[in-house]
Amino acid sequence: VILAVQLRNLLADLDRAGSSRFELGEEVLALFQKNPGLIDCPEGLARRIGRTAHEIEADLEYLLTAGVLSARSVGRYRLMFLDRTKVADAQDRSESPKGLK
Amino acid sequence: LALPPRVRTGIDEFDKMLDGGFMRGDAVMLAGSAGSGKTTLALQYLVNGAAYGEHGIYLSFEQLPDQLYRDAKNFGWDLPKLEQENKLKVICTSPNLLVEEGGAEALLEEPRKEINARRIVVDSLSHLSMFVKEEDMRLQLYRTLMLFKAKELSSLLLWETPQIAGQTFAISDTGTSFLVDAIVMLKFVEINSTIRNAMVVMKMRGSRHDKHLREYQIGSNGIKVEAAFTDYSGLMSGSPTKNASEKFVEMFKSATKK
């Protein structure tokens, strides 16, 4: 529940910031929000929401840059997963007067 | 403190079939067709393990964690709570990542250390086989099972058999059944036009085990193993027949009623 609130606040913050990636990233973020134990490559993540890796490539990069997701290389693949610590940090920042903007 | 040599599933009658439980560190294949209760039994193995202080990892290739949480809740098992208490980790990934060089370590080592895991469920080997070339499957699986053993993880490996009815004993085409230490089969049998669940321990390396086909029910608390199907033969074919003595008893009862 805490994680869900943190992510919702983060999304709201991104929306307020006028991010063009807000709607697209939300779909991927919702997947991680419901399944925090998900750790997968872009192809695997895309498959789980009925998309292709190409379709969500930019969203994943955006969420990596925003600090919501973390990545780790394994052989030929890049694993992506929800970084709960970073989400908590982002939440703290969004609650501060300056926020993420 | 040394752990007991047997890994109890917590399903009393099943543990009796296994002479006390699985052998510690063993790789156990749990085979059965869709709907036979493999996932339920696997979750029960981990939930009961958590109660015994043997924490576990559920590695899912297909089902997303939120589906597992929902299904487990129907049996009264609160998986998110167990995760919060560091007694369980549900990991969802693509099967090809597990067999990638360094993949198993990258996926499992951190959570294993975090909760001091002793058990692992892999759901499923059949899904893994879809992503690995047939000629590589045996080697990749061997490597993965050896890693589990090296990390002192007692593994339960789910394998989906193709047929729902009839003979379901083509357990695996890739020789994976030779690599595991034990095989438990769940199957449907038709008796008097009713589908019933049967369970059998087909192989258990280095241990005595019950050879009977036993009936089991999937109830509100999970799997419950019941009596052996002693009155029937041909259960493995999926279409059993009553034993002659039973037929005679029925005929006798019917005659005395008249």
Side-chain angles (χ1 to χ4, degrees):
Chain A
V1 174
I2 293 166
L3 186 64
V5 171
Q6 287 171 341
L7 289 174
R8 203 180 307 127
N9 288 346
L10 182 68
L11 275 169
D13 206 44
L14 295 173
D15 194 27
R16 280 196 299 276
S19 165
S20 58
R21 297 235 63 89
F22 169 67
E23 284 181 19
L24 294 165
E26 191 179 26
E27 205 173 313
V28 180
L29 207 47
L31 177 71
F32 279 104
Q33 181 185 321
K34 287 180 189 167
N35 305 286
L38 186 60
I39 173 165
D40 216 336
C41 57
E43 291 77 15
L45 293 170
R47 201 165 44 236
R48 294 177 197 282
I49 51 172
R51 287 175 175 256
T52 63
H54 180 70
E55 280 179 281
I56 63 162
E57 199 177 3
D59 307 297
L60 291 174
E61 286 307 321
Y62 176 74
L63 291 170
L64 281 167
T65 312
V68 181
L69 299 184
S70 285
R72 184 188 300 163
S73 290
V74 169
R76 297 163 289 169
Y77 300 98
R78 198 168 172 220
L79 300 187
M80 293 186 183
F81 52 96
L82 190 67
D83 191 323
R84 299 182 209 201
T85 321
K86 282 188 182 175
V87 171
D89 290 346
Q91 165 68 4
D92 290 342
R93 287 201 304 276
S94 72
E95 280 174 352
S96 69
K98 286 180 182 174
L100 280 176
K101 291 171 194 177
Chain B
L1 197 70
L3 289 163
R6 295 283 177 163
V7 180
R8 288 159 61 198
T9 65
I11 305 167
D12 292 341
E13 289 301 312
F14 186 35
D15 284 336
K16 282 181 194 165
M17 288 173 77
L18 301 165
D19 203 28
F22 297 125
M23 305 276 275
R24 186 160 300 283
D26 270 6
V28 180
M29 179 187 275
L30 178 63
S33 54
S36 59
K38 297 184 298 299
T39 303
T40 305
L41 196 151
L43 286 171
Q44 208 164 345
Y45 170 72
L46 292 184
V47 170
N48 289 337
Y52 303 145
E54 293 183 22
H55 305 162
I57 296 170
Y58 195 102
L59 182 62
S60 171
F61 296 137
E62 194 175 3
Q63 266 191 295
L64 282 163
D66 65 334
Q67 286 174 275
L68 284 168
Y69 297 154
R70 185 201 59 196
D71 296 348
K73 204 176 171 186
N74 289 332
F75 296 106
W77 304 325
D78 190 344
L79 303 189
K81 185 169 177 277
L82 289 175
E83 287 197 292
Q84 279 165 20
E85 293 169 350
N86 274 345
K87 293 176 177 173
L88 174 77
K89 283 277 176 195
V90 180
I91 299 169
C92 181
T93 193
S94 292
N96 48 320
L97 301 177
L98 184 74
V99 292
E100 185 71 14
E101 196 175 337
E105 290 267 354
L107 289 165
L108 302 172
E109 194 51 10
E110 205 175 291
R112 185 191 69 82
K113 281 184 178 166
E114 203 178 327
I115 64 167
N116 188 25
R118 295 292 186 172
R119 300 180 178 204
I120 186 165
V121 167
V122 178
D123 185 4
S124 66
L125 286 191
S126 20
H127 207 72
L128 180 69
S129 69
M130 285 164 57
F131 285 79
V132 179
K133 285 181 193 164
E134 197 176 328
E135 61 267 29
D136 295 341
M137 181 65 184
R138 194 166 171 168
L139 179 64
Q140 296 289 9
L141 184 64
Y142 178 76
R143 200 162 57 88
T144 307
L145 296 186
M146 287 303 113
L147 179 74
F148 291 165
K149 283 175 188 275
K151 304 290 181 187
E152 297 180 332
L153 289 165
S154 301
S155 56
L156 190 58
L157 316 155
L158 276 49
W159 180 270
E160 189 163 316
T161 51
Q163 296 104 321
I164 287 178
Q167 291 193 343
T168 58
F169 275 79
I171 286 184
S172 71
D173 300 325
T174 48
T176 49
S177 53
F178 293 103
L179 295 178
V180 295
D181 303 294
I183 300 175
V184 176
M185 181 84 191
L186 305 180
K187 73 180 268 99
F188 296 118
V189 289
E190 184 197 335
I191 295 174
N192 297 331
S193 302
T194 305
I195 296 292
R196 287 162 71 175
N197 300 310
M199 169 191 280
V200 64
V201 181
M202 295 183 67
K203 164 185 172 180
M204 198 170 171
R205 216 172 259 159
S207 172
R208 288 182 304 175
H209 63 88
D210 190 341
K211 308 282 196 304
H212 288 104
L213 274 147
R214 306 271 295 245
E215 184 161 17
Y216 67 94
Q217 305 286 346
I218 306 174
S220 56
N221 297 316
I223 294 218
K224 191 179 173 209
V225 179
E226 298 178 339
F229 286 97
T230 49
D231 305 341
Y232 296 88
S233 55
L235 283 154
M236 301 295 256
S237 71
S239 304
T241 53
K242 261 197 168 172
N243 292 335
S245 59
E246 287 303 311
K247 277 184 188 166
F248 177 76
V249 170
E250 277 198 355
M251 282 165 63
F252 182 76
K253 279 181 182 171
S254 159
T256 51
K257 272 181 192 169
K258 286 173 189 171

